[in-house]
Amino acid sequence: MADRDSQPIMSRRKMLTALGMAGAFMSLGASGASGSSVMQAVYGDGEGGCPPCGGYAESVEELRTIAPECEGRLIYLEGYYADSPGIGGGILVSVQGASADDGGSVFQSAKPGLFWKRGSDRLVLEDFGVVRGDDASYAAHNAERIAAAFQTTEYAISATPQMTYVYDGDVTIATAHLLDCRKAVFKGITGCIRIASAGCVVHSPVLDDSLRSDDKRAMLVEADHVQIRYAEFRGNGHQECCLEITGSNVSVSDSRLRDASYMILATTGRGTHITGNYFTGGNTKAVLSANRMAATTIPWGDAIKLSSDTNDLGNPNAPGRHDNIITNNIFEDVYRDCVDLFTDGSRTIFSHNVVRNHHWNILDIKCIYRDVPANGTSVDPSRREEAVIAYGNIIKDVDNPYSNGESLFSVVHYKNPESGGKVSDYTLGPNKVSIYGNVIDGVFGYVFRALDSFDVSYYDNAHYNLINNAVYITGESGTRHIDVDRNKFVYANGKDYWGNPLQVVRRTSANCTGGSVSHNRFVCYKKDGFRGAVAAVVMGSRMTANGNTGEGFDIVIDAARGTHLACDGTQAHDCKIAVRVGQYGSTTGVRVSRTYAVSCIQVVAVHTANTAKLIMVDNDGVDITGTAFTDVSSLASTIVKNNNTL
């Protein structure tokens, strides 16, 4: 028996090779998984034939220099690079056929016709030469290798969980069905992750823009039917967007997005679904100014922008975005709009979202059509925002800039800094818009604002802790069929601030026509003995103001001027005046009926002589005290069954 000390000592490298080969034999079903076969794997057969072991290689570079004698030989790769043993290594087997060296799953050997192929069917990015860590000197190389890894369709490719990869330049994903990112962090310097593979599922990437030097986007989805799930976009407050979508039927769910001009920018395509995400912040570092040419420090940042691009606008067969669903998201401390429906946001549903500590509009339905962004030229009048629905949302503490006329829900063909102008015609404005069933607590500024609109409904919403004007509807160039019904408006500040909960206003050039302000409840809890101002100012043509209730206001319904206004069933408690008629101009064909008042100074107060066809029926009282008139009969064509006519 030979002396043990005379036997050669097994090196660490050969020990690793032996252990790796033994595991490989077992996993591949080889018959020789015994101790003797391990020794054969380390030292070779030496008896002729084709030994199972091809040895070892320190790196991919060395692997490509090794020529297997035949198909089926195994080799142990210590690492992708010689200076990083254990990273990107593994067991490979020699195969014959029409393979191609992809730099990760298959490598050309030194023998023509034979390749080294990885034995595992699950690979990570390091197996394709992607360098992990924060070293930016590998960034351009990583961009190429990440794209190569996800080009492979024969293997399940994933990132190493929570590992960091720096890249520079576009990473185009052209064929992958799944990007399994496992919360790995991708730090872009320039360029973005471009998803060009239809139906691809992008699962749990982290896009960190702390190294970014451009102002574009972290990810671009340009294919159809792509799903973005459990992603995290760490914007740093200067880029144009976190995620840009140009494909159709793209979904973004259960993701976190922050700090960009537009956290999601959907510029073309149809059917974007945005559900279960968290949005916060905006763009504060190098924000582009109104003409998009220079930087400014004015806070900017929409959570979502739905917009048609200039090519889409020039295409008469592309009527706009369709069937967008935005639901179950959280918007917290977002600087500007939650959703900016800029050019063509048709058939968009905004429901069951939570909005907290917001600073601007929640839904900005602009309806601006343009083919040249520099001058705002409008095109195709038939392409309007339509069928926008917002319901079931919870909104808490919004400080929108009242001086700019912004509102939580803005339904308006409105001048925008980027557009240079607007078309003043209600027929071109938003239409078929419904906003209902929302709970709003704590707002400074307008809650709902509609200009140049048609067929808009605002109903069954509850408002608490209001401070300023709540609902503002104008006939600046015409609004038609705007209904504000069954809402609750609760003020807690009296005249610490000023404002009217609801204003339907006729401008000199046109009327609000055919609208309804009915069955609303207005409450102002007096502070220091002061009441609120006017609950509802109604001016226009063929308006109805029925069944409204007011408490703690100077005036509940102010039928200020207009034609053919029906004001029925108003109830007032602890107010000065229940219904006032004709304060700001002439009224024609106004009917005031069934007004009921408790603890009010006046019930129906008439303030102008120009009240043709004024009818007052079944009111608690009609009062002209304080006016220049001595006989109410001279003001009205019909006065019947009213109490205390003065």
Side-chain angles (χ1 to χ4, degrees):
M1 185 174 181
D3 185 11
R4 290 178 58 189
D5 293 337
S6 64
Q7 300 298 314
I9 299 175
M10 182 180 293
S11 69
R12 175 180 177 275
R13 177 178 296 170
K14 289 190 175 183
M15 176 64 75
L16 290 172
T17 303
L19 294 174
M21 293 301 176
F25 279 132
M26 296 177 69
S27 64
L28 297 175
S31 59
S34 64
S36 61
S37 63
V38 171
M39 296 303 293
Q40 287 177 344
V42 176
Y43 295 109
D45 193 316
E47 301 294 332
C50 186
C53 179
Y56 62 87
E58 283 188 317
S59 65
V60 166
E61 183 180 9
E62 182 181 355
L63 177 69
R64 291 187 174 112
T65 67
I66 298 175
E69 298 176 11
C70 59
E71 191 174 26
R73 294 196 66 181
L74 301 179
I75 193 168
Y76 182 78
L77 175 65
E78 289 199 38
Y80 200 96
Y81 304 105
D83 59 356
S84 303
I87 300 176
I91 304 297
L92 292 89
V93 61
S94 60
V95 296
Q96 188 173 10
S99 298
D101 189 332
D102 62 9
S105 65
V106 177
F107 302 90
Q108 175 66 57
S109 75
K111 186 172 183 178
L114 289 175
F115 297 85
W116 295 112
K117 185 174 183 179
R118 292 193 186 269
S120 173
D121 60 355
R122 300 190 65 86
L123 304 180
V124 294
L125 294 181
E126 289 84 347
D127 292 332
F128 286 79
V130 180
V131 179
R132 59 175 65 171
D134 288 310
D135 191 343
S137 62
Y138 294 102
H141 166 81
N142 278 352
E144 175 187 341
R145 298 315 304 155
I146 293 171
F150 287 117
Q151 289 285 102
T152 304
T153 57
E154 186 178 348
Y155 294 82
I157 310 297
S158 68
T160 299
Q162 301 183 4
M163 189 53 62
T164 296
Y165 306 99
V166 179
Y167 72 90
D168 191 6
D170 284 355
V171 177
T172 301
I173 309 301
T175 58
H177 298 298
L178 172 66
L179 264 68
D180 188 0
C181 298
R182 306 192 179 197
K183 291 298 180 184
V185 179
F186 296 87
K187 288 187 175 182
I189 298 175
T190 63
C192 66
I193 308 292
R194 301 174 66 98
I195 310 299
S197 177
C200 183
V201 177
V202 182
H203 201 283
S204 62
V206 178
L207 286 302
D208 187 328
D209 288 326
S210 58
L211 301 178
R212 186 168 294 279
S213 60
D214 65 8
D215 61 355
K216 300 302 182 182
R217 64 243 158 169
M219 180 175 287
L220 169 63
V221 177
E222 52 190 359
D224 298 340
H225 302 285
V226 172
Q227 299 179 49
I228 310 294
R229 304 183 62 192
Y230 299 102
E232 182 177 349
F233 293 85
R234 299 176 182 174
N236 64 9
H238 80 272
Q239 70 268 37
E240 181 75 4
C241 62
C242 294
L243 171 64
E244 182 174 355
I245 299 172
T246 61
S248 297
N249 300 298
V250 173
S251 68
V252 184
S253 62
D254 304 298
S255 298
R256 297 175 63 89
L257 303 99
R258 78 181 191 203
D259 294 338
S261 290
Y262 313 106
M263 284 164 247
I264 293 180
L265 173 61
T267 55
T268 58
R270 305 291 183 270
T272 305
H273 290 195
I274 301 173
T275 60
N277 304 287
Y278 177 83
F279 298 87
T280 189
N283 185 325
T284 57
K285 291 188 177 180
V287 188
L288 296 177
S289 61
N291 60 7
R292 319 302 289 167
M293 297 297 292
T296 177
T297 58
I298 298 173
W300 193 267
D302 297 340
I304 301 167
K305 181 174 181 177
L306 303 180
S307 174
S308 300
D309 67 10
T310 54
N311 293 326
D312 198 21
L313 285 173
N315 178 6
N317 298 316
R321 305 192 58 79
H322 288 170
D323 303 320
N324 305 294
I325 297 176
I326 302 169
T327 185
N328 292 316
N329 301 284
I330 296 175
F331 301 88
E332 184 166 29
D333 201 22
V334 174
Y335 292 142
R336 284 180 67 93
D337 302 339
C338 289
V339 183
D340 187 358
L341 302 175
F342 187 76
T343 305
D344 214 348
S346 303
R347 298 209 299 266
T348 294
I349 296 175
F350 182 84
S351 71
H352 299 99
N353 300 285
V354 175
V355 181
R356 299 187 297 232
N357 301 319
H358 193 61
H359 302 282
W360 207 266
N361 300 318
I362 290 174
L363 274 185
D364 191 359
I365 308 172
K366 288 195 181 73
C367 189
I368 298 176
Y369 306 107
R370 59 183 188 174
D371 55 3
V372 182
N375 60 27
T377 303
S378 294
V379 297
D380 198 347
S382 65
R383 295 173 53 204
R384 62 170 62 88
E385 303 275 10
E386 62 179 35
V388 177
I389 299 173
Y391 68 94
N393 301 285
I394 298 176
I395 301 160
K396 173 71 174 175
D397 295 334
V398 179
D399 183 18
N400 55 354
Y402 174 79
S403 60
N404 291 340
E406 303 296 340
S407 61
L408 270 64
F409 299 102
S410 179
V411 184
V412 56
H413 193 122
Y414 194 55
K415 181 177 180 180
N416 180 273
E418 290 184 333
S419 74
K422 64 177 181 178
V423 175
S424 296
D425 185 345
Y426 81 92
T427 61
L428 302 181
N431 94 25
K432 300 178 183 176
V433 176
S434 294
I435 301 171
Y436 63 92
N438 302 284
V439 177
I440 301 156
D441 187 354
V443 177
F444 181 85
Y446 294 122
V447 176
F448 170 64
R449 192 168 189 256
L451 288 76
D452 306 330
S453 308
F454 180 80
D455 192 10
V456 177
S457 298
Y458 187 84
Y459 61 96
D460 291 331
N461 300 287
H463 312 76
Y464 302 94
N465 295 307
L466 291 171
I467 295 176
N468 221 313
N469 290 345
V471 173
Y472 186 66
I473 303 168
T474 78
E476 181 172 354
S477 53
T479 57
R480 302 291 190 272
H481 302 294
I482 311 297
D483 299 328
V484 182
D485 299 331
R486 302 193 305 274
N487 300 284
K488 181 179 181 181
F489 300 91
V490 179
Y491 283 70
N493 292 295
K495 285 188 176 178
D496 283 4
Y497 297 92
W498 67 274
N500 310 313
L502 198 156
Q503 295 185 84
V504 180
V505 180
R506 184 186 78 169
R507 296 290 181 90
T508 57
S509 60
N511 293 321
C512 297
T513 302
S516 171
V517 179
S518 299
H519 304 290
N520 299 286
R521 183 185 178 194
F522 305 95
V523 179
C524 183
Y525 297 112
K526 293 186 296 184
K527 185 175 182 179
D528 300 328
F530 288 110
R531 296 182 176 90
V534 181
V537 178
V538 182
M539 306 183 191
S541 174
R542 294 187 284 113
M543 303 293 295
T544 58
N546 297 331
N548 296 287
T549 301
E551 177 183 350
F553 286 89
D554 284 347
I555 302 168
V556 179
I557 302 295
D558 195 348
R561 68 184 176 200
T563 61
H564 304 100
L565 166 65
C567 181
D568 179 71
T570 303
Q571 296 188 39
H573 177 74
D574 192 19
C575 298
K576 286 186 177 180
I577 302 172
V579 177
R580 183 169 66 178
V581 180
Q583 172 68 10
Y584 297 113
S586 64
T587 60
T588 301
V590 175
R591 179 188 176 99
V592 182
S593 59
R594 298 195 304 163
T595 306
Y596 178 76
V598 176
S599 300
C600 295
I601 299 173
Q602 295 174 292
V603 182
V604 178
V606 182
H607 280 256
T608 180
N610 190 4
T611 53
K613 299 181 181 179
L614 173 62
I615 299 173
M616 290 179 284
V617 180
D618 286 332
N619 299 289
D620 264 1
V622 178
D623 198 339
I624 60 172
T625 303
T627 71
F629 310 106
T630 58
D631 184 1
V632 72
S633 62
S634 65
L635 304 177
S637 58
T638 303
I639 303 177
V640 295
K641 296 189 293 185
N642 299 286
N643 295 324
N644 302 317
T645 299
L646 301 176

